Every structure is written in C-alpha cells, then in structure tokens.
Amino acid sequence: MSTILTVPKLAMSMSEGTIAEWVVADGADVTEGQIIYLLESDKSTTEIEAPASGKLIHKAEAGSTLDCGTEIGEII
Amino acid sequence: MAQGNLGIEPNVLKAIYVQMSRIRAVDKAIQAGLSAGKFMFTYWPMTGQECIPATIAQLTTERDYMVTTYRGIHDQVAKGVDLFGMFAEALGRQDGVNKGKGGSPHISDPSSGSMVTTAIVGAGAPIANGLAISAKERGEDRVTIVNFGDGATSIGAVHEAMNLAGAWKLPVIFLCQNNQWGEYTPIPDYTAGPNFFGRAEALGFRGVQLDGNDPAAFYAGMQDVIDHVRAGKGPVFVEALTYRMGPHAGVGDNYNADKDVLAAAKERAPLEKTRALLAEAGICSEEELEGIDAAAKTEVEDAIARAMASPVTPAEETLTDVFADVTCVPQRGQYPERADEGEPTGEAKTMSMVESIRDAQQIAMSKNGEVFILGEDVGDPHGGVFGTNKGLQTEFGKNRVRPTPIAEQAIIGAAIGSSIAGMSPIAEIMFTDFFGVCMDQVFNHAAKQRYMSGSATHAPMTIRVQAGGGMGGFGAQHSQSMESWLLHSPGIKVVYPSTPADAKGLLTSCINDPDPCVMFESMMLLFTQKGEVPLGEYAIPLGVAKVRREGTDITIVTYGWQVYQCLAAAEELAKEGISAEVIDLRSLVPIDYHRVLTSVRKTGRALVVHAAVEFCGFGAEIASTINEELWRDLKAPAMRFGAAYAPIAYSNAIEMSQVPNSGSIIARIHEAMKA
Ligand SMILES: Cc1ncc(C[n+]2csc(CCOP(=O)(O)OP(=O)(O)O)c2C)c(N)n1
C-alpha cells in the first residue's frame, strides 16, 4: 500500500506551506520516522518525518509554495 | 531503587504507565498523520501532560463524571472513550462518538463518563457543578472532575462556578492542569496572583497544589482529594503542575517557550521518567515495557485505520440533532400543522400570570422529584423578585428551590449540567437584559449540546426570564426585548405567553420538553393579566399559535405584551371598517407558520408587531417568509413593525413612543392598507 504525502496543516492559521528542502532524494529508501523534508510556514521550519517506510517519490519541487492538502509525494 | 521506596503500589504505577503509553501513542499518531498530510483537523497537543489523566484513571470509574477541553484528548483516552469512536469523531465521520458533529473539541460520551468537552475557555466549570448537583441529589457517590488550563483561572465562569460549588458543598473537583501557558501568553504576563490553588481557600474550600508530572505523588494527593469529595466534604481545587511541550495548536515543540526552559521541562516529562522508574525498580522488564508500547501503538493504528474507513458524515445530517424532533427546526417550505391544546374541560380558576406560573411549577415539582428551581432570590418568603415561586421553597425544601449567588453563568451552567444528567431544572434569570452575562452558557452550551454530541447528550432545561419594557422607569438595562438573540441561536426553543393560562400551559410543556426552552415573562403582564386557568396539569403544545381576534382585511402577527396593543388597535380599526385578525404566536421556536400563512392567505395583508427593535428583528424573518410564500395572493407586501433602533430611554415620552403602541400600530396598518 502506498502512502500519499500532502502539504500538512500544522497550525490553525496555516493555509499554505513551502517545501524548503527535500532531505531525502527522489527514489531513495526511507524508514518510518526518518526526516524526509523541511516545511516552511509562518516563518518557522518544521522537520517532517516519513509516515511509513518505503521508496520516496517526489512530486513537487523544493522551493514551491503550495496549499495545504496538495499532493507533494508518495512513499511506495 | 527498591520497590518499597516508590511511594506507590507497583501494579498501580504500571497501570498508570499503560495509560500514559496509550496517550502517547495517540499523540504521536495524530502528529504523524497531520505532518504527513494523512488527515487534517485542528489539534491542541497535550504532550507532557499525560500523567494527570493516566493517574486519575486509577482512582475513578466510568460512573464518575468528567468535563474537559479541546486539549483534553489525553483525558478522553484515559477516561475510556473508545479510540475508534474518538478518531472517527476527530475526522468528522459517521462512526464518531458524536456522529462527526462535534469533532475532537466537543466529545461527549456518557458511556465512559466523559460528559462535556468545551472549546470555550473555563466554560466547563459551571456545567460540572450541575453534574455534581445531580449526583448529590440522587445520593450517588460519583465525583465530577472538570479539567481546564491555568489560563482559564482568569475567566469569570471559573470564579462563578467555584463560588457556587463552595456555597453548596458540591462533589466536584476543579482540576487546573497548570501547563504554564495560556495559549501564547505565559503565566507571569497574565496574573499578579499565580497562587491558583489559594483562590479556593479565599472562597471557603480546599485547594491543593500537586506535582502533576510525578505519578506517585499525584496518585497519593488525588486519592486524598477524591476521598474527601466522595465523602461529601465539598469541592476541592487541584492545581496540577505540568508543562505544555507542544505549541498551543498544531504539531511539534512549544516554539513560544525559551529553549532552556523547554529543555528543562523535557527532563521532567512524566512518561519517560515513569518508564525509566518501572525498569529501574524492577517492576517491568524492557521487553514488558516494549510490549505495553507496542500494544498501545497497535490499538491506535487499528482505531485510525477503521476511523479513516468510516464515511464522512453526510450533509443530509445538517438538521438532525438540532432538536429531538426535526419538525421543530424552521425550514423553508415546511410548515407543519400541529394540533392545538383543545378546549379545556375541567375546573378552572381566575389567576394572574404570577399565580399561574407558580401553579405550573408546583404541579411539575409534585409530579417529578427531579424538577427543581434555581435562581437569584427564588427562596421564600419572597419566592423571586416577582413572587413567581412563592411558597415553593416552604413546600419542597431548600434543595429543590435553590437561591443562588448573583452569578448568571453559574446558574445556567448548573442547569445545563444537571439536565444533561437527566434532571429537569428551571433556572430563573431575573431580567432578559442579564442574558448578556450568561449568553455563552446559553447559546454555546445549552443550545448546542445535543448537536455537538450527535444527541449522545442534551440539556432538557427550562429558563424563565422576566422582560421589562413598556412600563416606563426601568431604563436601558432592564427594559429590553432580547428574544432575537435566542431565536438566532439554533438549538433553543422560545415561548412568550400573553395570558395566565398560556403561561401555565407553555411552561408545563417547556419543563417536559427534551430540549432547552426559554420562557419570557413580560412585566407588563405578570400582575395585570388575570384570566381563567385550568386547574391540575395543563400543557399547551409548543409551536401552536392562537387567533385572538378574527378578521378579514389584515393579519397582525404578534406575541407577548404587544398582543394587547394589537388588540386595542384592531378594536379602533374596526370602527373605521378595517377588520384585523390578530394572531398570538405564543411559541417563537418552534414557530407556527401554518396558522400564520393560513390567515394571511385569507386576509391578503400582514403586519408583524413586536416590542423588540425592528432592525434585524423577528418581524423581518416572518414578513420575509410571508412575502416569499404568498406574494401571488398578497394585496400588499407583508410588513414589520418593532421598536426604534435605540436603547430604551428613561424618559417616559421616549419609551412610550419608541416601542409600538396601539396608536403607532394603527398608523402602520393604514400604510399597509394604502399599499
Ligand atoms: C472564552 C474564550 N476565550 C478565548 C479563547 C481562545 N483560546 C483557546 S485556548 C486558549 C488558551 C487557554 O489556556 P489554558 O486555559 O491555560 O488551557 P490550555 O490551552 O493551556 O490547556 C485561548 C485563549 C477561547 N477558546 N475561549
């Protein structure tokens, strides 16, 4: 089963987020709990952990600002 | 460390850890799910506060009542709310404990004793008192624990509730989870008196401060507190010291906190410390602890997976759970015809409205031992400022007619809580103008409890309120007609009688109704109106209007004391050959559009008259419905007439002219007849 990654809504006031950096490269294997990317919102940066183990697929570029809920990747 | 030095039974400490581990698994799963974008909902993390409910769970059962807040997911987990139902609720799904209608900040699960969860800071405290009243009156040994944060100690509702609980020695525990933060503001910035537990002493009852991060000390302290409360020795305020590791809302760390302070707090965090203690004292092996954590993780994963498979609660559910009976919900195009009360047959007696209200209460209280009255000055010899309860305290005793502190939030909260527990309280608010100081309890809690809980709980209470206006001499703060505030708050029924018989019949229905009801008692009518009132139990169904005068040229729709202004106007108009039909709504929600529309279909003209301000008033609502439904049949557009847009003036000349009177009603009707 694959896990879809979307821009999370981390706080009540958050409506969009910026992928500051992909810490894990496209196509690399990740384990659950590993930090996979940095999300910037409201001037603070949050380390986002992999919700599952598997192969990480990027579906959005680092630097892009997207609405909460937008699909940005997948773990297969 | 040897087991003997722990200060707590090893198996109890282990049981506390099991609950902490479950709470942590829930917290982690929510944070992970939100971070990954797996789901979205507003989350107020309780990371670091696990020890408090995990410990309390060892000292209470599902028979004990709990009230908590938006942040209280840890409280829900430890109280025993089913995790599948809890997650489904947080995700707005059909299988949620509250059908997905309340969400995580409004969980209500009577099967586990989690009665009310509020997102209004401090508002749970007055309601907890009501739950405690029910336990005390029924001779049950339940305790009620109301959880709130340190920030909530600043709000009036908590103060009012503490004072009432002290005065009435209620079996309630005010549990302040002092996590050092009120949203984004730390304690020293919001009070010069951070000795929270000392406030209880000032109100005449016990207050204690406990380390909410130390399971052994907290267990011992809470055992003593709970024993004290169960033994009927009155309320206790507990300040449980802890620390909020996370942000106010969202995920991650408390970014408002100073880095060093947060690091020090992490050192004292209860879960990690308790886990280490269990290992060190040889109570649990590492494998055993891993087993506990793994079981918690599995339980949570399973609950989330099932919750995510549950369907989102559909839009078809919009109007269910507003009231017990969906036909009471005002809906465009749905105008049910309800049977009226019929002609009274038995014996009757001439009474004033004051006497008929007293009579209705006396009968309800005789019939049902769980009907009780509370409010300011309601006791004998006065029986309320207007005497509507005279003699009832003498007859039924001080527990069933309860004079209260001057604290409207405490009064309404006590009524809400006791009604949620199944009692039938009648709360008296002296003047409608005082709704302003208890409106949160009325419209956020009494009105919404059924909806937010998906009918798991509801507040079948009655509020009686006196309304000034029209008499002169009371001024801007004792003369208003505030019914529109309530009509605009879904979930409350409102009645406004104009005769003694109607007051008795409607009040009887309100007391027996499954939903919260408010009855307005106009000062213009309480003593001046006398009429035949049926003796014995007498009920008038809610939502049935009455034609007070028949006519053919225009329908005047009105209620309360304006009925008499309209009847006087109709009398005058008859002399000019204008035949006016006067309809007394009696019940504003549910409204009887059936009888209103039937009348206007006949007359072709309509004017709605009320003492309340015309702008944004009920008249606009009714006139609009008449116009939309009957425009083809109308000879003139339906119109409205209410008070001028101004506070009620002290000047008699202004007051008499700013509110509709027979003269100004006639003038308005002339306009309608010209159109
Ligand atoms: C009456 C009211 N005012 C303001 C808010 C906004 N608000 C939500 S939580 C919160 C902080 C409450 O702090 P505290 O009582 O210490 O509880 P904690 O969140 O720390 O558990 C505030 C101000 C609210 N929900 N209700």
Side-chain angles (χ1 to χ4, degrees), chain A residues 4-10 12 48 51 68-69, chain B residues 34-37 40 42 44 248-251 297:
Chain A
I4 303 289
L5 301 173
T6 60
V7 176
K9 192 174 171 72
L10 300 178
M12 247 186 315
I48 304 293
C68 291
Chain B
L34 292 171
S35 297
M40 275 191 210
T42 305
W44 297 271
H248 164 61
V251 302
K297 192 165 179 242

Side-chain angles (χ1 to χ4, degrees), chain B residues 153-419:
Chain B
T153 58
S154 300
I155 208 162
V158 170
H159 175 81
E160 287 190 23
M162 285 172 64
N163 183 55
L164 183 95
W168 291 359
K169 279 195 155 224
L170 297 177
V172 61
I173 297 168
F174 297 98
L175 207 147
C176 173
Q177 300 193 16
N178 181 354
N179 64 15
Q180 317 295 325
W181 289 88
E183 207 164 53
Y184 306 109
T185 309
I187 289 172
D189 293 356
Y190 71 69
T191 183
N195 170 14
F196 299 128
F197 69 99
R199 296 181 190 184
E201 202 179 314
L203 292 171
F205 64 95
R206 197 174 151 198
V208 295
Q209 188 183 55
L210 300 173
D211 183 348
N213 279 1
D214 177 344
F218 192 63
Y219 182 84
M222 281 308 292
Q223 187 162 39
D224 181 47
V225 165
I226 290 173
D227 286 350
H228 173 101
V229 175
R230 268 201 220 287
K233 295 181 186 163
V236 178
F237 182 98
V238 176
E239 179 182 353
L241 295 172
T242 182
Y243 199 86
R244 195 188 80 202
M245 301 293 189
H248 164 61
V251 302
D253 276 345
N254 184 341
Y255 55 81
N256 294 104
D258 185 89
K259 291 268 178 294
D260 297 339
V261 175
L262 190 61
K266 275 192 176 163
E267 289 294 309
R268 292 193 307 272
L271 181 133
E272 294 75 7
K273 248 179 35 187
T274 305
R275 196 178 193 283
L277 184 61
L278 285 165
E280 207 182 303
I283 299 167
C284 295
S285 64
E286 180 55 30
E287 294 75 67
E288 231 179 310
L289 290 166
E290 276 168 17
I292 292 171
D293 296 341
K297 192 165 179 242
T298 309
E299 183 193 1
V300 169
E301 276 172 2
D302 169 65
I304 292 181
R306 285 194 293 137
M308 290 194 65
S310 172
V312 171
T313 308
E316 292 79 69
E317 288 280 345
T318 306
L319 300 181
T320 57
D321 306 311
V322 175
F323 294 122
D325 173 1
V326 74
T327 69
C328 291
V329 174
Q331 286 183 71
R332 184 170 297 122
Q334 309 268 322
Y335 310 118
E337 179 178 5
R338 303 181 186 92
D340 66 16
E341 67 273 24
E343 282 304 311
T345 47
E347 255 189 284
K349 195 182 146 199
T350 306
M351 292 187 201
S352 68
M353 197 181 272
V354 167
E355 290 167 314
S356 75
I357 290 167
R358 192 189 303 148
D359 188 40
Q361 296 187 118
Q362 197 275 341
I363 292 168
M365 292 177 82
S366 306
K367 238 188 88 194
N368 177 354
E370 298 226 309
V371 176
F372 72 100
I373 295 172
L374 70 169
E376 290 157 22
D377 305 325
V378 296
D380 284 330
H382 295 292
V385 278
F386 300 103
T388 45
N389 316 295
K390 214 187 204 72
L392 297 178
Q393 191 184 45
T394 307
E395 183 177 351
F396 295 102
K398 288 194 163 168
N399 289 348
R400 296 192 59 201
V401 178
R402 293 173 169 257
T404 61
I406 302 164
E408 279 75 12
Q409 299 196 69
I411 295 169
I412 301 298
I416 295 170
S418 57
S419 70

